């Protein structure tokens, strides 16, 4: 694994002391930066600092009672069970995908404690290196490194993130092969974390054509699919275009605000190759996590069946996420940043390049670490610097997660969810004003 | 990873078909044999076959109501939270270990969805190859292979399993280094799966001394520690002897019969090296599973605090496991096998070597696969052949898990747990008679 540790994506720490460590090599020890930042914020808040936390993609909404009841009802299920998940949850998952123009049998579905372990298992069992958009969610590259793979990042197009620019992708594959690397897996995020944008159908088709030509497996991370702000936005999954070579991953953490429950799902391609990949993932699953905890399977079976109250909850949540993300986008643009308008998820990804000279002159802000640090130290606004997502450290970009601006209590969060105009609620307006103050004031 | 795939421990399957698979290398796809066997048995039983299932180490006891209530109470916890687990569950875990002569701070503890992901993370972040007892639980070697490591199996002593024979271990390390390998991690199982035995303190001390001399990390899998049949049996953890180089893993699946809940725990050494390994495991955790599901943390916090009703439940369960395991041991010996007497967990590991000639002559049984197949086909008794645990395929050994013999319903299982003499219960006696018939009749 030495090779991958050298490619900049593996996170290594060194620790040696005393005789017990003599001769022991360094241990990998860099925590996923968003989770690390979240822990730091919790500590500083506990110490009394009133931070505005835009550094963690948690949908902070109150527990949805019918879902909570299902976990309680499932708590009497204590036995192991099939690695892939019970038939009832796999059937519900198959229905979920089928309703999204992806006809699916229960045998194509696997549930797991989050989509992370499913993505990790794919890296462990499918040979070859991984092509990623740049920037991308901060877990893809470290997972590739843990699996002994190279993570090959490719710039995103002007119009949207979550996918590589097609021309740049072709060039990167060519160059990687010339260098003896073996790009085999293409990760797409639809809609995207961190940009909050969605690749349009034309672009999805073009990338699927490249995957066919270059014999790539597509891993389509669709965990924010039910957080599209406008249900009328055209959504094309790569699994519709390249059904034999696309694995879709998703989960309930984002759409139903249950990140702490760790419920993920994957849909594997129909046909022998899809079956082989699914068998491989189940093999890894059986050795790494056995199965999704049964009480969580009960909740997942209920949610993926999408009864009316779940559909309403999904719609209300997506509406709120969209309203607040668009407001943060407006603030970023008003402050002078370039920023793609968000259409899904709960992120914006502004670029302060237009203000580079002023930022350098007045604040000594010259790159994404110093930009993020300045926002934190001067305004108490926590963001995730673009460099932590594989982007150029020299660029003036950051990810702002807007999903924790709905109030400090379950009551406030419920009001935000129910409000006609959540932006008018004082507990929503206050952190937005703090953000506005920070971004407008960063030159002051 | 090609190297490790060749060492016999990586499980590879091949699948190719159609144009989509042109040029795609084989996918790892062998499922963990015990989970695979379990699914097979469920299917055959569903089809009406009355099998006696000794092939899966699930403690089949009814849900314990106070524990179930805790999951329900925790279901309103929907947020992520610290990767290592909330302070409350880590504090409870620290208390659990401290009461077992392992003084522990909460910051030394990590909880996870099972002990499997913790063991996997150790393999991913600690460099070097893995030394295992032979036979061993069927997940250690495939995990090593997934992490790109070699699994180096070392024969167990005559007196007990779960640990390598010290002399053989020294020789194996020497030979491995001479061959250019890098043994760095020593896995011990106390008490043992599959033999149901416990390494005595003298042997633990000897192995710890070797670990010190050879600079090995000890991974002490103590998931069956609370399933010691007699609480008076002397138990020495390697973490007492070599505190700076021993990671202890455990969980609730076995002792409290909640395998389907996936609750695992690890205790890391005090000191800089232990902190570095824990940081490494947290790094992997943050990328692979994020955290243990919060409702499960609530149950874990309750259980690890060990209030009186939990201690009673643990004691009653251990008593039942011991009674039934000893009875199966008696049957094996009566049938002519050699077999170490079980003192912990719920396994026996008989060796039919004394009957080799008769088995070959009368039943064409010549190795562990044909022995297991003969028991299944002729008597409907399902066991796990020793070859699936890394043992010699030519040996006449198998693992019999005795923890699913307590009845088909929760009511029967509860009776077994409450009974003065569970062996006198018809629903316990019947499968034992089937086993006796099978083992006594195998020569017939």
């Amino acid at each position: 694994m030495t090779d991958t540790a050298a490619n900049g994506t593996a996170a290594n720490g060194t620790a040696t002391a005393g005789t017990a460590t003599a001769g022991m090599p360094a241990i990998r020890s860099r925590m996923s930066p968003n989770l690390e930042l979240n822990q730091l914020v919790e500590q500083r808040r506990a110490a009394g600092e009133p931070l505005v936390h835009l550094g963690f993609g948690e949908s902070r909404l109150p527990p949805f009672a019918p879902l909570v009841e299902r976990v309680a009802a499932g708590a009497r299920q204590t036995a192991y069970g099939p690695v892939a998940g019970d038939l009832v949850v796999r059937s519900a998952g198959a229905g979920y995908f089928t309703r999204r123009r992806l006809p699916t049998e229960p045998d194509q579905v696997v549930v797991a404690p989050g989509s992370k372990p499913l993505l990790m298992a794919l890296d462990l069992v499918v040979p070859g290196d991984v092509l990623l958009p740049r920037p991308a969610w901060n877990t893809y590259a470290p997972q590739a490194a843990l699996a002994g793979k190279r993570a090959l990042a490719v710039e995103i197009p002007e119009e949207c993130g979550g996918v590589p620019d097609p021309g740049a992708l072709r060039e990167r594959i060519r160059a990687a092969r010339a260098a003896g690397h073996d790009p085999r897996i293409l990760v797409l995020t639809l809609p995207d974390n961190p940009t909050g944008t969605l690749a349009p159908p034309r672009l999805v088709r073009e990338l699927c054509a490249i995957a066919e030509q270059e014999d790539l497996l597509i891993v389509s991370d669709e965990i924010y699919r039910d957080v599209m702000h406008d249900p009328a936005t055209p959504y094309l999954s790569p699994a519709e275009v390249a059904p034999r070579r696309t694995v879709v991953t998703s989960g309930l953490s984002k759409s139903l605000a249950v990140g702490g429950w760790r419920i993920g799902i994957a849909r594997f391609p129909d046909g022998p190759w899809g079956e082989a990949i699914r068998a491989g993932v189940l093999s890894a699953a059986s050795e790494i996590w056995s199965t999704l905890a049964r009480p969580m399977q009960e909740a997942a079976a209920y949610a993926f069946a999408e009864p009316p109250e779940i559909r309403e909850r999904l719609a209300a949540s997506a509406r709120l996420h969209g309203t607040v993300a668009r407001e943060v986008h407006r603030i970023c643009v008003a402050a002078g940043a370039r920023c793609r308008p968000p259409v899904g998820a709960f992120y914006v990804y502004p670029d302060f390049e237009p203000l580079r000279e002023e930022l350098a002159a007045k604040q000594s802000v010259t790159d994404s670490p110093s930009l993020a640090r300045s926002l934190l130290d001067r305004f108490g606004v926590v963001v995730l610097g673009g460099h932590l997502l594989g982007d150029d450290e020299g660029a003036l970009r950051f990810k702002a997660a807007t999903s924790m601006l709905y109030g400090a209590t379950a009551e406030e969060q419920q009001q935000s969810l129910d409000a006609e105009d959540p932006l008018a609620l004082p507990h929503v307006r206050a952190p937005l004003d703090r953000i506005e103050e920070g971004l407008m004031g960063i030159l002051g």
Side-chain angles (χ1 to χ4, degrees), chain A:
Chain A
M1 317 257 277
T2 342
D3 238 6
T4 57
N7 76 358
T9 57
N12 286 304
T14 310
T16 49
T19 53
T21 67
M24 290 306 293
I27 306 289
R28 268 179 215 271
S29 68
R30 171 85 185 267
M31 191 179 290
S32 200
N34 56 338
L35 290 167
E36 188 170 44
L37 190 60
N38 189 49
Q39 292 184 201
L40 180 76
V41 168
E42 297 297 335
Q43 285 161 16
R44 289 178 66 158
R45 277 187 169 160
E49 273 191 75
L51 301 177
V52 178
H53 190 1
L54 302 175
F56 191 56
E58 172 170 305
S59 173
R60 198 156 284 178
L61 290 172
F64 186 49
L67 210 47
V68 170
E69 283 159 23
R70 287 308 179 107
V71 172
R76 287 186 62 81
Q77 304 273 354
T78 51
Y80 294 82
V83 173
D86 278 327
L87 182 58
V88 59
V89 64
R90 289 186 288 108
S91 298
Y96 170 89
F97 287 115
T98 300
R99 284 189 296 280
R100 282 156 182 78
R101 297 187 305 277
L102 300 172
T104 308
E105 295 297 322
D107 278 356
Q108 291 171 258
V109 173
V110 176
V111 292
S115 59
K116 273 183 185 177
L118 293 162
L119 291 162
M120 183 73 212
L122 284 164
D123 274 347
L124 286 170
V125 302
V126 178
D129 297 319
V130 182
L131 295 154
L132 298 177
R134 174 189 173 98
W137 179 46
N138 49 254
T139 282
Y140 302 133
Q143 284 194 341
L146 283 168
K149 297 168 127 57
R150 276 181 191 79
L152 308 168
V154 185
E155 64 191 83
I156 59 175
E158 194 55 43
E159 61 187 305
C160 66
V163 298
D165 176 80
L169 177 62
R170 286 183 203 273
E171 173 51 28
R172 190 75 164 96
I173 293 170
R174 199 200 54 72
R177 292 199 178 132
H181 305 163
D182 183 25
R184 287 290 193 179
I185 301 173
L186 172 63
V187 177
L188 307 178
T189 316
L190 303 162
D192 181 36
N193 171 5
T195 63
T197 59
L198 177 72
R202 173 190 48 73
L203 198 47
V204 170
R205 285 200 187 88
E206 191 171 352
L207 291 161
C208 288
I210 296 175
E212 292 284 351
Q213 287 153 16
E214 305 290 349
D215 210 8
L216 308 175
L217 171 70
I218 298 172
V219 175
S220 184
D221 180 346
E222 305 188 1
I223 197 163
Y224 296 99
R225 179 166 185 165
D226 296 316
V227 195
M228 287 300 299
H229 303 163
D230 177 355
T233 307
Y235 187 104
L236 182 66
S237 169
E240 294 178 72
V241 184
R244 304 245 157 214
R245 59 173 65 250
T246 303
V247 175
V248 178
T249 63
S250 188
L252 301 182
S253 298
K254 307 303 180 180
S255 59
L256 287 169
V258 289
W261 286 4
R262 318 304 310 123
I263 296 174
I265 191 167
R267 175 193 185 271
F268 292 84
D270 196 10
W273 194 52
E275 281 167 29
I277 295 174
R278 181 174 181 268
V281 166
L282 286 180
S283 158
S286 74
E287 308 298 5
I288 305 176
W289 69 85
S290 292
T291 190
L292 172 61
R294 301 291 290 280
M296 298 307 156
Q297 290 192 29
E298 184 96 3
Y302 164 71
F304 286 125
E306 296 181 287
E309 67 278 12
I310 286 285
R311 291 203 300 272
E312 276 164 34
R313 174 79 174 193
L314 289 171
S317 303
R319 212 161 42 229
L320 175 62
H321 293 312
T323 301
V324 175
R326 282 192 301 272
E327 177 65 3
V328 175
H329 173 261
R330 184 194 65 72
I331 293 169
C332 291
V333 171
R338 285 196 305 241
C339 191
R340 297 172 182 87
V343 299
F346 26 70
Y347 306 107
V348 295
Y349 194 73
D351 185 346
F352 283 78
E353 189 60 33
L355 307 180
R356 178 175 289 279
E357 283 182 29
E358 297 95 310
L359 283 169
K362 297 193 190 164
Q363 303 297 342
S364 305
V365 163
T366 55
D367 52 17
S368 69
S370 55
L371 177 59
R373 203 164 46 242
S374 179
L375 283 170
L376 175 57
D377 292 344
R378 295 177 58 216
F379 302 99
V381 173
V382 183
V383 299
L384 206 61
H387 61 292
L388 297 172
L389 306 164
D391 211 346
D392 284 335
E393 187 164 313
L396 296 170
R397 295 191 276 262
F398 59 77
K399 173 169 104 170
T402 60
S403 52
M404 297 195 299
L405 301 174
Y406 309 145
T409 65
E411 290 66 32
E412 286 180 351
Q413 292 158 12
Q414 189 62 48
Q415 283 171 27
S416 302
L417 204 53
D418 296 339
E420 187 86 15
D421 179 12
L423 302 180
L425 294 169
H427 63 260
V428 176
R429 198 67 254 173
L432 288 169
D433 288 346
R434 289 274 306 279
I435 296 164
E436 189 150 17
E437 181 193 353
L439 295 187
M440 301 302 278
I442 196 164
L443 294 177

